[in-house]
Amino acid sequence: MPPTPRKHIPAILPYPPGKPIEEVQREFGLTEVIKLASNENPLGPSRKAVVAMRALAAEMHLYPDGAGFYLKGKLSEKYGLPPEWIVLGNGSDEINGLLIQTYVNRDESVIFSEHDFVSYLLEALKANVKFKQAPLRDWRVDVDALLERVDSKTKLICIANPTNPIGTMIEKKEFERFLAEVSEDVLVLLDEAYFEYVTKRSYPDGLKFVRRHPNLVVARTFSKAYGLAGLRVGYAFANPEIIQNLDRVRKPFNVNRMAQASAIAALDDEAHIRRSRENNEKGRQLLESELRKMKIAFVPSVTNFILIDTGRSGADVTRALMAQGVIVRPMAGYGLPQHIRVTIGRPAENRKFLAVLKKVIQ
């Protein structure tokens, strides 16, 4: 018999990733499959990023820069905060875990919203720390519900803005009030993985608050709008004291050599981000308009995905869509068994999804 794991480990369910195209092709005998399950950028990465990848292909025998000097410098130049305010992560997910590992003791707790990004729950479970979940209000993060759950043992509050998988956002005035009311000895993680897609002026840009609030950590990623999900590179801004502590805990080569070079190149390609936003906005408008015509309930989104209420088993609808060559994400793992989440794709992909959904649901 092999040794037994720590007592809390068997209760952790592994993260269920979206099904890859190749697996669906094999399972259903299909040649053409589109994947709209993982909120990836359908336009792919910037050409400049691809050139940077190719240039480094022959150098993969070398370790990356463990300090991320040039990428931090580029982020500093773009966003106006010194490099010592920046930490790099293997995706922004890793930063969630680093915060808990670095700051939350076993007798302390983490707070996040119901149906929010599953990484917060998984990292709390892995660290074996306590957690509380606050209910949403009208599918939006309720800052009052978060504040009500704060007590003397609260160490970290995680807020995804916009939320995943819901797709809604906290308004600037709400977030300002939240920061004013939460104690400075409680860390606040503002997860802005999808901020590039938000067009509303009332969106609270976290970097405008981070200097004034030494307990605020603003995490971002290159996995979504920048189209570098396969390279896993994220980053966060925070007070240098927090950054120094996170650097004590993070692995020394957590962001690989190709990821760093590609991210630096991607930051120079504003045109690619602009095209990605334009494609997303047109696609979102089409999907929401057609869903209304089909009388299918959904949550209006500010991101690159839409949460849809199928009115039946989301898992069954997901499988029926896959049989027709369309991969979406069932949401039962988020406590939403009737819902699916669809990523906004290219125009032809969006039209195919709508046509197949109409056959499956109506």
Side-chain angles (χ1 to χ4, degrees):
M1 290 287 290
T4 57
R6 294 173 65 191
K7 291 181 180 179
H8 68 284
I9 298 299
I12 303 173
L13 296 177
Y15 178 79
K19 279 204 171 189
I21 289 173
E22 297 81 5
E23 183 179 339
V24 174
Q25 287 175 324
R26 288 194 304 270
E27 184 175 352
F28 295 97
L30 301 170
T31 55
E32 293 186 12
V33 174
I34 60 171
K35 184 184 177 188
L36 302 174
S38 300
N39 302 341
E40 297 147 334
N41 185 338
L43 304 187
S46 155
R47 291 180 183 177
K48 292 182 179 180
V50 173
V51 169
M53 290 182 220
R54 289 173 177 161
L56 280 183
E59 298 181 14
M60 288 301 101
H61 60 296
L62 300 175
Y63 282 105
D65 172 9
F69 178 84
Y70 292 105
L71 178 52
K72 285 184 180 179
K74 196 71 177 179
L75 289 166
S76 174
E77 176 186 325
K78 181 176 178 65
Y79 292 113
L81 283 166
E84 56 266 28
W85 286 66
I86 303 170
V87 67
L88 303 179
N90 188 243
S92 57
D93 296 35
E94 185 187 26
I95 294 165
N96 306 335
L98 286 175
L99 282 168
I100 292 177
Q101 293 170 45
T102 306
Y103 282 98
V104 185
N105 293 304
R106 286 284 299 277
D107 62 339
E108 296 174 327
S109 65
V110 181
I111 300 175
F112 45 88
S113 296
E114 290 180 346
H115 315 304
D116 211 341
F117 185 35
V118 72
S119 174
Y120 312 143
L121 172 61
L122 290 177
E123 294 298 340
L125 290 171
K126 285 193 289 184
N128 200 22
V129 300
K130 298 175 182 177
F131 62 89
K132 299 178 184 179
Q133 292 177 284
L136 300 175
R137 181 190 296 173
D138 298 325
W139 293 110
R140 296 173 63 250
V141 170
D142 185 345
V143 298
D144 292 314
L146 290 172
L147 290 167
E148 286 169 4
R149 281 155 180 77
V150 175
D151 59 25
S152 62
K153 294 295 184 180
T154 302
K155 199 58 172 285
L156 172 66
I157 302 174
C158 300
I159 300 175
N161 199 37
T163 58
N164 171 30
I166 309 300
T168 56
M169 67 173 233
I170 301 174
E171 301 281 334
K172 183 178 179 181
K173 289 184 178 179
E174 292 177 290
F175 189 64
E176 286 176 333
R177 179 169 62 83
F178 169 80
L179 287 177
E181 293 187 29
V182 71
S183 172
E184 284 194 359
D185 61 2
V186 175
L187 274 172
V188 175
L189 169 64
L190 182 65
D191 185 344
E192 295 188 324
Y194 297 91
F195 86 97
E196 290 98 344
Y197 287 113
V198 181
T199 59
K200 290 191 174 184
R201 292 183 179 180
S202 56
Y203 180 76
D205 179 350
L207 297 193
K208 294 182 178 177
F209 299 91
V210 74
R211 282 190 185 273
R212 303 199 306 268
H213 296 274
N215 59 328
L216 178 62
V217 179
V218 180
R220 294 178 173 180
T221 184
F222 286 90
S223 294
K224 306 305 177 185
Y226 284 99
L228 298 178
L231 289 177
R232 310 305 301 127
V233 52
Y235 57 101
F237 297 93
N239 183 280
E241 184 176 329
I242 293 175
I243 299 299
Q244 290 168 15
N245 287 325
L246 295 178
D247 274 334
R248 291 185 172 98
V249 176
R250 72 170 179 85
K251 294 180 180 179
F253 302 117
N254 61 331
V255 180
N256 72 68
R257 188 176 177 84
M258 191 173 285
Q260 291 185 41
S262 300
I264 290 168
L267 287 169
D268 279 333
D269 199 344
E270 286 293 334
H272 179 71
I273 293 296
R274 184 171 61 253
R275 287 191 297 269
S276 299
R277 286 174 176 152
E278 289 171 355
N279 177 79
N280 189 72
E281 189 64 15
K282 290 177 182 176
R284 184 187 59 77
Q285 290 175 6
L286 171 68
L287 289 178
E288 292 189 349
S289 173
E290 293 302 311
L291 288 169
R292 289 189 183 97
K293 289 178 185 177
M294 288 190 277
K295 294 182 169 39
I296 296 174
F298 66 93
V299 180
S301 176
V302 298
T303 61
N304 69 334
F305 60 83
I306 299 175
L307 183 70
I308 297 171
D309 186 347
T310 67
R312 63 199 73 179
S313 166
D316 289 346
V317 172
T318 297
R319 185 163 182 81
L321 288 169
M322 281 196 296
Q324 299 294 316
V326 179
I327 309 173
V328 299
R329 190 67 176 270
M331 290 287 104
Y334 282 83
L336 300 166
Q338 291 194 164
H339 290 75
I340 60 173
R341 188 191 67 194
V342 59
T343 304
I344 297 164
R346 290 175 178 265
E349 294 172 326
N350 296 330
R351 290 192 294 270
K352 179 173 182 177
F353 164 72
L354 289 167
V356 174
L357 182 68
K358 190 171 185 178
K359 289 181 184 178
V360 167
I361 287 189
Q362 296 186 328

